[in-house]
């Protein structure tokens, strides 16, 4: 079996690390963002490490577990990696919910950081 392209290795490694940190100790996610990073969480925008971490660390649940269903990664023309994640999550005693998350990863000083992050629950409102 051929080795995966480097952008897939980078994206898959980031995704594994991100959800491991998110599920165990969200405070550790701070290392993945910079002051220029942007987060859109369910349509609300946040910019900068502090604003992003305030949002992520104050989400209204005690425990969470992510299960990744699929992930796709592509290189961008400016040497970044874009990653799309689809999965399910379980928070506290709530039912399992689907989610989608997109990351734009950028290499700064030999470290891959999250430049852009967009998250949505996979909830459908047909009303």
């Amino acid at each position: 079996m051929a080795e995966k392209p480097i952008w897939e290795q980078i994206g898959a490694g980031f995704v594994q690390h991100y959800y491991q940190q998110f599920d165990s100790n969200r405070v550790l996610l701070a290392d993945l963002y910079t002051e220029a990073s942007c987060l859109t969480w369910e349509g609300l925008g946040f910019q900068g490490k502090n604003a992003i971490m305030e949002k992520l660390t104050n989400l209204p649940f005690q425990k969470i577990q992510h299960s990744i269903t699929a992930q796709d990664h592509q290189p961008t023309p400016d040497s970044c990696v874009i990653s799309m994640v689809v999965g399910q999550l379980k928070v506290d005693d709530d039912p399992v919910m689907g989610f989608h998350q997109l990351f734009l990863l950028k290499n700064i000083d030999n470290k891959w950081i999250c430049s852009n992050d967009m998250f949505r629950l996979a909830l459908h409102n047909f009303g």
Side-chain angles (χ1 to χ4, degrees):
M1 186 170 174
E3 188 173 316
K4 290 184 177 183
I6 188 68
W7 63 84
E8 286 192 24
Q9 294 174 43
I10 292 164
F14 180 91
V15 165
Q16 178 182 7
H17 179 71
Y18 178 89
Y19 292 111
Q20 227 169 29
Q21 301 290 57
F22 201 112
D23 291 357
S24 63
N25 186 357
R26 283 175 274 164
V27 172
L28 299 175
L29 293 172
D31 290 341
L32 303 178
Y33 296 99
T34 69
E35 288 312 312
S37 296
C38 294
L39 166 69
T40 301
W41 187 274
E42 290 289 312
L44 299 174
F46 304 88
Q47 183 167 7
K49 180 189 289 198
N50 292 339
I52 292 169
M53 290 311 301
E54 180 153 341
K55 175 61 180 175
L56 295 180
T57 56
N58 288 303
L59 291 168
F61 51 79
Q62 296 301 310
K63 60 182 179 176
I64 185 168
Q65 184 176 3
H66 290 86
S67 176
I68 306 307
T69 305
Q71 56 184 297
D72 297 299
H73 313 281
Q74 293 181 352
T76 66
D78 55 350
S79 300
C80 293
V81 175
I82 191 165
S83 296
M84 179 68 199
V85 179
V86 177
Q88 294 182 319
L89 58 83
K90 173 126 178 74
V91 296
D92 297 330
D93 295 321
D94 292 345
V96 172
M97 295 176 276
F99 76 93
H100 308 276
Q101 193 158 11
L102 181 132
F103 301 104
L104 181 62
L105 310 177
K106 185 174 186 175
N107 192 311
I108 297 178
D109 298 328
N110 275 339
K111 179 182 170 191
W112 287 93
I113 60 93
C114 183
S115 171
N116 299 78
D117 179 352
M118 291 185 267
F119 174 89
R120 283 274 182 179
L121 290 171
L123 303 176
H124 303 283
N125 182 358
F126 296 112

